[in-house]
């Protein structure tokens, strides 16, 4: 029983509940780690393709950035995010970060006169 003014009595913590929570936490973290690894591999594959795009653009005198395509990608990704229950604003920020890096790579490829390897 709690005294007046000290708030509700704190329930006893069951050690079995804590142990179960720790096991569940470990399982969730393993899943998160697996997803992070998959994301890294997917990003590596994506950048492999965008590097080839950069070479094609450089070889044919096309600009490193394609604002119309970027806007279409953003619209599409926002819709996908919304359908998946992911914050579309976050998804857009993530894509903009990636596209900025891709454009930087394309500019470097153009400036270095890179050709397919």
């Amino acid at each position: 029983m709690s005294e007046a003014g000290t708030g509700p009595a704190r329930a006893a913590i069951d050690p079995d509940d804590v142990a179960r929570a720790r096991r569940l936490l470990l399982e969730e973290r393993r899943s998160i780690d697996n997803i992070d690894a998959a994301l890294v591999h997917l990003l590596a594959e994506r950048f492999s393709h965008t590097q080839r795009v950069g070479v094609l653009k450089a070889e044919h005198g096309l600009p490193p950035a394609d604002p119309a395509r970027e806007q279409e990608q953003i619209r599409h990704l926002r819709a996908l995010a919304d359908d998946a229950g992911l914050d579309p604003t976050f998804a857009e920020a993530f894509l903009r970060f990636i596209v900025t890096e891709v454009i930087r790579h394309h500019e470097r490829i153009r400036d270095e006169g890179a050709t397919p390897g």
Side-chain angles (χ1 to χ4, degrees), residues 51-67:
Q51 291 294 95
R52 289 193 290 273
V53 167
V55 169
L56 284 169
K57 286 179 174 184
E59 288 177 339
H60 299 283
L62 298 169
D66 185 345

Side-chain angles (χ1 to χ4, degrees), residues 6-95:
T6 63
R10 185 170 177 179
I13 298 175
D14 183 343
D16 290 337
D17 285 345
V18 172
R20 181 177 177 275
R22 288 189 177 164
R23 282 192 307 274
L24 291 171
L25 183 62
L26 184 60
E27 289 173 21
E28 290 298 332
R29 287 181 172 163
R30 283 183 185 144
S31 293
I32 290 167
D33 292 348
N34 288 338
I35 292 167
D36 288 346
L39 285 170
V40 167
H41 288 279
L42 286 170
L43 285 170
E45 184 175 345
R46 187 186 196 287
F47 274 92
S48 175
H49 288 280
T50 61
Q51 291 294 95
R52 289 193 290 273
V53 167
V55 169
L56 284 169
K57 286 179 174 184
E59 288 177 339
H60 299 283
L62 298 169
D66 185 345
R69 165 134 169 90
E70 292 163 28
Q71 287 305 310
E72 181 55 37
Q73 279 185 289
I74 288 168
R75 279 192 295 277
H76 180 67
L77 190 70
R78 286 184 68 92
L80 286 174
D82 192 46
D83 289 346
L86 180 66
D87 178 7
T89 301
F90 169 78
E92 179 178 342
F94 183 71
L95 180 64

